Amino acid sequence: MRNLLEITDFTTQEIDDLIALALDIIAKPEKYSEHCKGKKLATLFYEPSTRTRLSFVAAMMELGGNVLGFSDAAASSVSKGESVADTVRTVECFADIIAMRHNKEGAPFLAAQYANVPIINAGDGGHCHPTQTLTDLLTIFREKGTFDNLTIGFCGDLKFGRTVHSLAKAMGRYSGVKFVFISPNELKIPDYLRNELTRHCGLDPQSHKQQEIPAFAGMTETNSLENAMPELDILYMTRVQRERFENEDDYNRLKDSFILDIEKLKTAKKDMIILHPLPRVNEISTDVDNDPRALYFKQVLNGKYIRMALIDTLLRTKNKEQRTKTDEFVLCEKCKNPRCISSIEDVKPLYKILENGEKRCYYCDN
Ligand code: NCD
């Protein structure tokens, strides 16, 4: 464990260990209050954030460490045209660990090739968001006591919703888990993710070989929240990601696709839990907030605890060489995804070749 670029960088055992540590932090916070004394976290946020950035800051403060960084790239040398590679080589002179959020997919993967301090991906475009997944997993574990045999409905913008992509990869590694993907046709999960889940695989972080999922119970795709509701143990609502649309008319047409209200919850299980990474726009009506199944604000608090566990663990992991090696990836032509970091920066065009011959951009998975 050295960077957290995508959730599959961690084995399920490593995730279990982080959750156990977070639970210990919740039980005995004073024990950890000086764990990161003298250490500095840099938060490099090229994209807006409330919860993720502030929970990183609060987490480091509660560990006795300090924080520096920017919350608006316009106020940094990025506005003068500085690259991600140069920015991280600068910031690592001042900080022991970096959390980065970027609007381009794969930016933290690029940062990790240059940095000698751990890089945490705090959300890269519409690609992935592993620390939100850790937050979601801690919340699920605290409520359900297990990850096995759960049916989870993901509802809303599954195309650009990066939190969905990472959580699906993580949950797909547990036994007996079933996914119901609920979205309009235009906002279905990306093909690469569907292929990955269909092949019942995750990527082993060391070998990058596929690892078997014990008894992945499968997945369905639908555009009806009402039909899906009765079977769900977890309903994961998401916002339609306005900032990722190329055209405003499409956003306006799709933005009200799903609105969860008390009426729709009538057919839900009594112990179903409702999660949302937040911010919410209108996809959960505020009358749902008082329902005991609505856990999205508890989820926010869990985000601080799991980030404490993550920062503490990454800073304690001793590595001879921090930089991410990319030797096993193949040099190819430039990625054609306009949302990929390679569209704006001079990066080595690297690809992963999967066992079935499928070729995917190392940075953005397209
Ligand atoms: C999410 C994100 O930024 O992807 N928010 C978060 O980090 N808690 C979800 C969103 O913006 O819709």
Side-chain angles (χ1 to χ4, degrees):
M1 198 189 281
R2 52 180 185 189
N3 299 308
L4 175 58
L5 302 176
E6 175 51 314
I7 196 68
T8 42
D9 288 346
F10 289 2
T11 61
T12 49
Q13 181 58 53
E14 285 170 328
I15 288 176
D16 286 351
D17 293 346
L18 281 178
I19 289 177
L21 179 55
L23 293 174
D24 199 54
I25 290 171
I26 292 167
K28 297 173 231 127
E30 61 294 339
K31 194 173 130 192
Y32 296 88
S33 64
E34 300 211 330
H35 257 220
C36 292
K37 201 171 167 197
K39 299 285 183 191
K40 287 180 261 62
L41 163 78
T43 56
L44 309 185
F45 276 60
Y46 295 70
E47 223 187 26
S49 171
T50 299
R51 275 149 292 273
T52 304
R53 190 176 63 82
L54 293 180
S55 66
F56 268 114
V57 172
M60 194 52 166
M61 286 163 87
E62 293 199 20
L63 290 165
N66 287 303
V67 188
L68 66 166
F70 55 79
S71 53
D72 179 3
S76 74
S77 282
V78 173
S79 64
K80 302 179 187 169
E82 188 162 54
S83 66
V84 166
D86 288 357
T87 302
V88 294
R89 282 180 290 189
T90 301
V91 173
E92 71 176 3
C93 300
F94 314 132
D96 304 284
I97 184 163
I98 296 175
M100 173 186 281
R101 167 171 289 192
H102 204 288
N103 56 324
K104 289 290 181 190
E105 300 175 4
F109 295 70
L110 173 63
Q113 286 174 30
Y114 290 91
N116 270 307
V117 298
I119 299 284
I120 301 171
N121 180 359
D124 62 325
H127 185 212
C128 51
H129 194 345
T131 65
Q132 181 62 43
T133 296
L134 292 174
T135 302
D136 303 337
L137 292 175
L138 176 60
T139 310
I140 293 168
F141 190 78
R142 291 186 79 184
E143 295 302 319
K144 297 283 181 195
T146 178
F147 299 117
D148 294 337
N149 304 314
L150 295 172
T151 296
I152 171 163
F154 292 97
C155 179
D157 186 347
L158 312 186
K159 179 180 180 189
F160 297 123
R162 56 193 174 193
T163 65
V164 171
H165 306 159
S166 295
L167 183 56
K169 285 186 208 165
M171 287 295 289
R173 299 197 294 192
Y174 294 97
S175 175
V177 170
K178 190 177 164 204
F179 296 132
V180 185
F181 293 111
I182 309 153
S183 72
N185 276 342
E186 293 93 327
L187 298 179
K188 284 180 158 187
I189 53 166
D191 290 341
Y192 79 81
L193 183 62
R194 183 177 304 104
N195 293 347
E196 187 163 322
L197 295 173
T198 314
R199 284 199 316 272
H200 297 190
C201 77
L203 291 177
D204 180 81
Q206 269 81 43
S207 62
H208 287 274
K209 293 251 166 63
Q210 290 172 11
Q211 50 187 18
E212 285 302 309
I213 290 174
F216 178 53
M219 61 188 217
T220 53
E221 297 187 75
T222 171
N223 52 23
S224 168
L225 176 57
E226 284 82 350
N227 289 352
M229 191 71 85
E231 66 166 321
L232 303 180
D233 299 303
I234 302 167
L235 173 57
Y236 195 93
M237 292 297 295
T238 61
R239 169 180 75 91
V240 178
Q241 307 277 299
R242 180 181 201 155
E243 65 276 32
R244 315 259 179 248
F245 280 72
E246 278 166 22
N247 132 14
E248 188 77 5
D249 291 344
D250 288 344
Y251 170 73
N252 286 327
R253 189 164 42 79
L254 296 167
K255 70 182 168 52
D256 299 325
S257 298
F258 299 100
I259 295 175
L260 180 68
D261 57 23
I262 285 289
E263 193 53 37
K264 292 204 184 88
L265 278 174
K266 283 196 173 135
T267 61
K269 289 185 184 171
K270 292 279 166 285
D271 64 347
M272 183 187 81
I273 59 173
I274 307 164
L275 303 182
H276 190 311
L278 302 178
R280 129 177 87 183
V281 183
N282 64 345
E283 58 281 355
I284 301 182
S285 145
T286 50
D287 60 4
V288 174
D289 297 357
N290 293 327
D291 191 293
R293 292 169 287 192
L295 293 190
Y296 25 93
F297 290 107
K298 277 195 189 168
Q299 210 177 333
V300 176
L301 183 58
N302 286 329
K304 182 186 73 177
Y305 295 126
I306 201 74
R307 288 182 176 97
M308 288 175 76
L310 176 67
I311 294 167
D312 192 42
T313 303
L314 288 178
L315 284 177
R316 263 157 223 287
T317 308
K318 297 268 172 283
N319 294 299
K320 274 215 219 88
E321 168 100 46
Q322 188 63 45
R323 284 179 217 189
T324 295
K325 288 257 190 304
T326 53
D327 305 351
E328 72 264 44
F329 301 111
V330 189
L331 266 171
C332 260
E333 76 274 17
K334 212 172 153 203
C335 172
K336 293 187 181 66
N337 173 13
R339 298 184 305 274
C340 179
I341 185 68
S342 62
S343 69
I344 57 160
E345 291 214 4
D346 186 19
V347 305
K348 265 192 282 177
L350 295 172
Y351 284 79
K352 333 177 209 190
I353 309 282
L354 304 187
E355 281 182 350
N356 65 352
E358 200 182 304
K359 205 172 82 178
R360 286 206 225 145
C361 173
Y362 166 71
Y363 301 96
C364 73
D365 270 311
N366 274 272

